Amino acid sequence: MQHKTIDELLKSEKTHVDVIVRGWVRSFRSNRFIALNDGSTIKTLQCVVDFENFDEEILKKTTVGAAIEVAGVLVESQGQGQTVEVQVSKLTVLGEANPEDVKLTILSPKRHSLETLREQAHLRVRTNTFGAVMRTRSKLAFAVHEYFQKNGFNYMHSPIITGSDAEGAGEMFRVTNLDAKNPPLDENGNVDFKEDFFEKETNLTVSGQLEAETYAMALGKVYTFGPTFRAENSNTSRHLAEFWMIEPEVAFNDLDANMDLAEDFIKYVINYALENCADDLEFLENRLLEEEKNKPQDERSEMKLREKLRFILENNFKRVSYTEAIDILKRSKPNQKKKFKYIIEEWGADLQSEHERFLVEKHFKSPVILFDYPAKIKAFYMRLNDDGKTVRAMDVLFPGIGEIVGGSQREERYDVLKQKMEAMDISTEELYWYLDLRKFGTAVHSGFGLGFERLVQFTTGMGNIRDVIPYPRTPGNAEF
Ligand code: 4AD
Ligand code: MG
């Protein structure tokens, strides 16, 4: 007989059949009721053993955390809390878990803080919370591919090791195999990267955008979905040094079409999660309600998790220009009463997350797409508007998250781009290939980047980005 996952068994609704199930013991009550979980669902399967008829040694080894196999009959449950259960005829302990050792870990059945769970990231996925988050993460990743594949996009693998700094922000991790203690030097005493593996300076990519643009200018519609790396020293609940980014890039799309794409895409994947992660989202919603009980009334969310997700689906994102946003912020109470950490004085100011959150959570009370930012605070590749001072940039801002998407229409005019690169000290020699696109059949094109972990955070309601990726990399932390 083939063994089945608990999810398959619970969905089959067929009782009085012989089954074999394998999983890890969550609890063992009264020497009779084993709660078994195998990761296929948040639900546990109740396995009932008739202890008089079982070897005492085996029962003793049936402890929390142990891996077991049970064979038996699936029957309707007499007890409350489950519809079916297994009447066990054979119990095998596949892998023991010493209770004394288990006690010292997060596997011990009591409440552990998220901080403690993070320290045992190799075990935390066995908890209900992390099982739910990671299953949802997996479903969301599938939904991303499904959306683009259904809509005629080609999946493009942008390189992970690159010589360019796509964002021009200099927040890169160097890739080298030179001897760090004794590097070869050139005649001026500087490290000689001609001696390095690639015979030049290289780094881990901060974004696949520039390479994706080259593919969009041939295949039309492309997207990347891969790891990206930023050596920014921000210890916040929204930043990782290694995160996954989704970057669609579309030939002939202007900024309006880019906004339509971002909104349609986000709604699709969130709807997919609502339809395909019902049990996990229900669990996470209740977890959040529980967590918020300890917060003062005015800090609790107005909506439950799934209400919040449905709200996204049912409402248009508000599209607001940077200039309008600055006016709103200047006139806002927290600005006038100097409650913001960074007071907005004038047009041109970079928006901090406190400002973004004010716009989304207090003023508009809906997701917002801000567009047409000052050229000075945005990357070199964004298309200059006729006013000469703003660029066709867009950021999608979400409640509780702030910026979830950053994108733009790209500068497609050779001369304008070259001038801008020179003014911003971006090497036109290094990026000759990027300029080439503007020489050979240039066209209007646009794209954006969505931080996958911020999407998972929003969908699961987890407050800290470290809790939505299996092994978070942050300043001072690359454990596991
Ligand atoms: O706004 P960013 O820096 O834009 C780009 O990289 C463009 N090249 C994208 C494009 O147009 N193709 O980053 C895009 C998104 C952000 O909105 C945010 O969601 C996420 O990536 N992000 C991070 N997520 C986690 N940790 C970090 N350190 C992040 N930095 C950016
Ligand atoms: Mg950005």
Side-chain angles (χ1 to χ4, degrees):
M1 195 186 350
Q2 242 191 341
H3 102 278
K4 284 225 161 92
T5 67
I6 292 175
D7 191 43
E8 286 166 336
L9 282 184
L10 295 180
K11 279 183 183 146
S12 79
E13 291 177 351
K14 239 197 271 161
T15 50
H16 303 286
V17 287
D18 290 335
V19 294
I20 296 178
V21 199
R22 297 171 192 151
W24 294 270
V25 175
R26 282 291 177 82
S27 67
F28 188 21
R29 260 188 315 122
S30 325
N31 234 1
R32 196 169 168 79
F33 303 106
I34 303 170
L36 192 68
N37 185 273
D38 68 356
S40 61
T41 162
I42 187 124
K43 294 180 179 152
T44 53
L45 181 66
Q46 173 153 291
C47 305
V48 187
V49 288
D50 202 355
F51 57 85
E52 283 102 1
N53 302 328
F54 280 84
D55 181 353
E56 212 169 305
E57 276 309 299
I58 294 181
L59 292 179
K60 253 196 223 153
K61 289 176 182 165
T62 306
T63 55
V64 170
I68 63 168
E69 178 181 281
V70 301
V73 187
L74 192 69
V75 295
E76 276 138 39
S77 176
Q78 279 113 51
Q80 280 183 345
Q82 64 276 324
T83 50
V84 291
E85 62 191 24
V86 176
Q87 253 158 18
V88 181
S89 53
K90 188 166 174 236
L91 171 64
T92 317
V93 176
L94 304 172
E96 295 173 36
N98 183 324
E100 290 307 310
D101 295 337
V102 165
K103 238 190 243 165
L104 305 174
T105 73
I106 56 155
L107 296 177
S108 59
K110 58 171 191 153
R111 284 214 167 271
H112 303 281
S113 72
L114 290 170
E115 287 77 13
T116 311
L117 291 172
R118 236 170 265 151
E119 286 165 11
Q120 297 176 39
H122 60 306
L123 298 177
R124 67 177 177 171
V125 68
R126 291 212 208 166
T127 64
N128 280 331
T129 298
F130 282 87
V133 168
M134 294 308 161
R135 273 187 300 271
T136 305
R137 182 183 167 107
S138 169
K139 292 278 188 218
L140 282 169
F142 178 76
V144 167
H145 285 295
E146 189 175 79
Y147 176 84
F148 288 120
Q149 295 290 335
K150 271 188 180 168
N151 286 290
F153 284 70
N154 288 288
Y155 181 26
M156 183 248 178
H157 294 104
S158 47
I160 290 171
I161 300 174
T162 150
S164 53
D165 176 5
E167 291 303 296
E171 293 163 333
M172 298 170 300
F173 289 102
R174 184 183 294 286
V175 174
T176 178
N177 73 343
L178 291 179
D179 179 358
K181 289 192 191 121
N182 189 19
L185 302 177
D186 62 17
E187 56 265 32
N188 300 320
N190 299 320
V191 176
D192 188 2
F193 287 101
K194 287 213 184 69
E195 298 281 320
D196 205 347
F197 187 91
F198 298 107
E199 300 177 9
K200 63 183 285 195
E201 289 186 59
T202 50
N203 50 272
L204 294 176
T205 187
V206 295
S207 154
Q209 177 197 321
L210 304 192
E211 291 88 353
E213 279 185 56
T214 66
Y215 266 57
M217 296 311 281
L219 302 180
K221 296 200 248 182
V222 300
Y223 70 106
T224 72
F225 185 2
T228 48
F229 307 85
R230 301 219 177 154
E232 50 189 338
N233 205 358
S234 352
N235 245 317
T236 77
S237 58
R238 314 266 175 265
H239 288 88
L240 291 165
E242 175 181 295
F243 63 100
W244 286 66
M245 187 154 44
I246 296 140
E247 297 185 273
E249 191 70 35
V250 186
F252 313 113
N253 260 11
D254 63 8
L255 192 70
D256 287 325
N258 203 33
M259 291 189 213
D260 293 343
L261 176 65
E263 186 167 342
D264 193 50
F265 164 60
I266 293 174
K267 286 179 171 171
Y268 182 90
V269 293
I270 288 180
N271 185 51
Y272 186 91
L274 275 168
E275 286 182 356
N276 293 279
C277 309
D279 293 342
D280 287 328
L281 292 181
E282 182 184 355
F283 173 84
L284 291 166
E285 178 171 294
N286 290 329
R287 191 200 79 87
L288 214 55
L289 287 173
E290 207 50 44
E291 187 183 79
E292 292 200 334
K293 274 191 191 152
N294 305 321
K295 286 189 181 169
Q297 193 76 40
D298 62 328
E299 281 176 33
R300 295 183 199 167
S301 11
E302 287 165 31
M303 285 184 240
K304 292 188 197 171
L305 179 62
R306 281 172 299 175
E307 270 179 284
K308 223 171 66 179
L309 299 180
R310 271 183 226 113
F311 180 84
I312 298 290
L313 304 185
E314 287 156 12
N315 290 278
N316 293 332
F317 297 5
K318 288 260 156 33
R319 301 182 184 192
V320 183
S321 76
Y322 167 89
T323 303
E324 282 172 79
I326 285 291
D327 284 342
I328 293 166
L329 287 167
K330 265 208 272 190
R331 282 186 273 110
S332 73
K333 248 197 210 153
N335 204 57
Q336 307 225 315
K337 297 203 163 157
K338 306 225 183 299
K339 286 268 156 56
F340 283 143
K341 195 164 160 224
Y342 299 89
I343 303 302
I344 299 283
E345 312 263 15
E346 56 192 64
W347 192 94
D350 204 352
L351 300 185
Q352 306 296 325
S353 77
E354 57 180 347
H355 308 127
E356 297 176 342
R357 292 187 66 168
F358 173 83
L359 291 170
V360 172
E361 289 159 31
K362 298 278 175 333
H363 189 83
F364 289 107
K365 294 187 190 297
S366 95
V368 171
I369 310 184
L370 286 188
F371 61 92
D372 283 353
Y373 281 75
K376 280 211 180 90
I377 58 171
K378 288 290 183 187
F380 70 94
Y381 51 70
M382 300 188 179
R383 193 183 196 281
L384 193 63
N385 279 314
D386 291 343
D387 62 14
K389 57 176 196 173
T390 60
V391 286
R392 299 247 76 191
M394 64 176 220
D395 277 3
V396 180
L397 312 178
F398 257 41
I401 301 286
E403 181 191 332
I404 193 163
V405 161
S408 65
Q409 185 176 321
R410 319 306 188 186
E411 184 53 75
E412 84 285 11
R413 297 162 298 184
Y414 181 87
D415 295 334
V416 182
L417 180 63
K418 188 153 177 281
Q419 231 172 30
K420 241 177 123 185
M421 287 171 77
E422 282 160 358
M424 291 172 122
D425 217 13
I426 308 280
S427 169
T428 51
E429 247 167 75
E430 276 284 329
L431 287 180
Y432 75 91
W433 51 274
Y434 189 68
L435 279 159
D436 263 4
L437 291 183
R438 280 73 184 168
K439 285 206 292 204
F440 306 119
T442 193
V444 164
H445 63 287
S446 304
F448 62 83
L450 174 131
F452 185 56
E453 283 72 23
R454 293 193 187 173
L455 173 73
V456 181
Q457 244 190 307
F458 183 76
T459 310
T460 59
M462 298 301 284
N464 195 314
I465 200 164
R466 294 166 175 84
D467 297 330
V468 299
I469 188 166
Y471 295 103
R473 269 73 180 102
T474 50
N477 193 351
E479 184 78 1
F480 305 102

